Amino acid sequence: MTASSEPMRGGAPARSRADRGTPAKTSAAATFSLVFGVAALVCTLTAILAWAGIILGIIGIIVGIFGLRMAARPNVTGRGVTIGGLTLSIIALILGLVFIAGVATFLNNEGAANRLQEQVDDLRNRAS
């Protein structure tokens, strides 16, 4: 048996640099999707910036959709990063909408608003 007819040990044959082609690059849209998703979730969880979390969540979802399309191209990676960004953006969007709906419901309830005003007035009187 000659060396060329023997099976190689360790799996696939070694490739030369010319056979490897260009290295795969992570899509910029995938990275931005993750960044917007994390920023949206942080803003939403602070509760004061829930409106900013909703805006960032919507941007993150749009960029994530573009990231999924770009990850389908050859020599482009980032599908997992994009899915993570989309997930965080969707969670932030849902939490932000729930928070704002809860605040709006609370403020439209006259009894709850009156109780809150009474507590604020009571605290002001104690401080004086």
Side-chain angles (χ1 to χ4, degrees):
M1 280 179 120
T2 62
S4 61
S5 64
E6 290 182 19
M8 291 187 61
R9 293 183 188 165
R15 294 184 185 181
S16 67
R17 276 188 167 233
D19 292 341
R20 290 185 192 158
T22 59
K25 294 183 180 180
T26 302
S27 165
T31 306
F32 282 123
S33 172
L34 185 62
V35 168
F36 278 114
V38 169
L41 192 60
V42 168
C43 286
T44 301
L45 292 178
T46 61
I48 295 172
L49 298 173
W51 59 272
I54 290 174
I55 293 170
L56 291 173
I58 292 171
I59 294 171
I61 290 170
I62 293 169
V63 173
I65 292 170
F66 286 121
L68 283 177
R69 289 184 183 168
M70 290 179 73
R73 295 180 182 173
N75 292 330
V76 178
T77 61
R79 182 171 170 81
V81 175
T82 304
I83 291 172
L86 273 171
T87 304
L88 291 176
S89 296
I90 291 169
I91 290 171
L93 180 65
I94 291 170
L95 285 176
L97 290 174
V98 166
F99 177 75
I100 288 178
V103 168
T105 302
F106 178 78
L107 292 178
N108 284 332
N109 183 352
E110 285 187 36
N114 289 338
R115 285 192 304 270
L116 181 62
Q117 185 62 42
E118 289 172 6
Q119 290 178 355
V120 169
D121 291 339
D122 186 42
L123 288 174
R124 283 184 186 161
N125 292 336
R126 288 184 189 175
S128 300

